[in-house]
């Protein structure tokens, strides 16, 4: 197989509006300012993977509009190949409308738009066109039927599928079975198992072992508490990397998944790949933004 990663997933234009307070029902208020940022878990993870210098393809869909053009440009800037991502005429680019209030509360409306059109046909064409990619990366923001088709094709080619089940949702058991690893945060782990989220690494290790009944390997990330890895060889707790100053944790989870995929692609075993992903994710929280903070990953890998 080639040393390439294929990310099949979502791309969103995030529209972030700062407000004094969130509006009440039926109320119109003025925003302080507005910024447009590239987002979506697929885009973020592709950017994180590309930032390591690993050859990365992104397969998704955007609208034939200004937002779509910007998202494709943002990915190219991190070295991601977007040739498999069409700009569709009949549909808008996915958007996330995010209100952030002065006291830290937020309200978010996501419109999947083009992301809901990422199709099995596209996936089949991609696998026909690409020399065997080594690692496939999936999330929960495009139709599960498309993700499942990709995971099945990947399995048939002998490659590995990293499945970040975010946001948590009811998912085909077959897709969980093809995940190696399944990556979730503590809240998603709780929702999938129908229990309260684990609050310590020891508790997360227990939950990860329970999830092993459904996936070949499992990683639960716990923000500033680090992560746990579970597979047939056992469970390992990974302590977080201490950082001097936490500036913005947005996109830390996506940094973790993208770098994990890159390291697996280069032949690292799951534990070592997770340790390196944790190191890179910690770097990403020292800069503002999601994929905008991944210059920190580029810097880390330039030094290496
Ligand atoms: P998000 O939705 O914000 O992208 P997430 O909930 O999916 O995040 P987290 O568990 O918050 O993901 O973070 C992923 C990984 O990033 C953690 O396992 C850890 O390795 C690293 N990380 C996150 N926050 C910090 C922090 N404050 N200090 C050091 N490392 C961190």
């Amino acid at each position: 197989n080639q040393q390439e990663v294929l990310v099949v997933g979502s791309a969103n234009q995030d529209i972030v509006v700062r407000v004094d307070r969130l509006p009440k029902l039926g109320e119109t208020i003025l925003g302080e300012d507005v910024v447009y940022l590239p987002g979506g878990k697929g885009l973020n993870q592709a950017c994180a993977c590309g930032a390591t210098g690993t050859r990365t393809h992104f397969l998704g869909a955007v609208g034939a509009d200004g937002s779509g053009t910007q998202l494709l440009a943002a990915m190219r800037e991190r070295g991601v190949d977007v040739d498999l991502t069409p700009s569709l005429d009949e549909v808008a680019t996915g958007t996330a409308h995010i209100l952030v209030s002065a006291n830290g509360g937020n309200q978010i409306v996501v419109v999947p738009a083009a992301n809901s059109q990422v199709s099995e046909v596209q996936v089949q064409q991609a696998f026909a066109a690409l020399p065997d990619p080594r690692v496939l990366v999936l999330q929960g923001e495009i139709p599960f039927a498309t993700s499942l088709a990709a995971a099945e094709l990947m399995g048939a080619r002998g490659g590995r599928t990293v499945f970040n089940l975010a946001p948590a949702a009811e998912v085909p058991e077959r897709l969980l079975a093809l995940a190696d690893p399944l990556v979730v945060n503590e809240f998603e782990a709780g929702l999938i198992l129908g229990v309260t989220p684990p609050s310590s690494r020891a508790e997360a290790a227990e939950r990860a072992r329970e999830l092993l009944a459904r996936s070949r390997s499992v990683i639960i990330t716990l923000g500033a508490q680090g992560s746990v890895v579970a597979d047939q060889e056992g469970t390992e707790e990974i302590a977080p990397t201490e950082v001097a100053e936490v500036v913005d944790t947005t996109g830390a989870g996506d940094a973790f998944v993208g770098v994990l995929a890159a390291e697996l692609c280069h032949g690292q075993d799951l534990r070592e790949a997770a340790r390196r992903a944790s190191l890179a994710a910690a770097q990403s929280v020292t800069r503002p933004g999601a994929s905008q903070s991944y210059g920190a990953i580029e810097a880390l890998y330039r030094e290496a």
Side-chain angles (χ1 to χ4, degrees), residues 185 221-224 226-227 240-241 243 246 249-254 256 278 281-282 285:
N185 69 20
T221 65
L222 300 151
S227 55
T241 309
V243 295
V246 178
T249 62
T250 315
D254 292 333
F256 185 98
S278 158
V285 308

Side-chain angles (χ1 to χ4, degrees), residues 41 44 164 166 184-188 220-228 238-243 246 249-256 274 277-285 294:
K41 289 178 193 298
N44 287 345
N164 174 214
V184 287
N185 69 20
E186 67 267 45
F187 305 105
E188 290 147 2
I220 299 179
T221 65
L222 300 151
Q225 290 195 75
S227 55
V228 299
I238 297 179
T241 309
E242 296 277 339
V243 295
V246 178
T249 62
T250 315
D254 292 333
F256 185 98
S278 158
L279 206 70
Q283 289 308 309
S284 82
V285 308
Y294 298 166

Side-chain angles (χ1 to χ4, degrees), residues 35-67:
V35 281
Y36 296 80
L37 299 170
K41 289 178 193 298
L43 177 148
N44 287 345
Q45 294 175 13
C47 285
C49 188
T52 67
T54 303
R55 192 157 163 67
T56 307
H57 300 271
F58 176 76
L59 185 157
V62 295
D65 48 32
S67 295

Side-chain angles (χ1 to χ4, degrees), residues 245-296:
E245 193 195 1
V246 178
V247 174
D248 182 358
T249 62
T250 315
D254 292 333
F256 185 98
V257 173
V259 173
L260 180 82
E263 292 291 349
L264 290 172
C265 179
H266 296 301
Q268 294 299 341
D269 70 41
L270 186 62
R271 285 170 175 70
E272 182 57 22
R275 279 191 284 270
R276 293 179 181 207
S278 158
L279 206 70
Q283 289 308 309
S284 82
V285 308
T286 65
R287 298 194 193 183
S291 65
Q292 309 83 257
S293 72
Y294 298 166

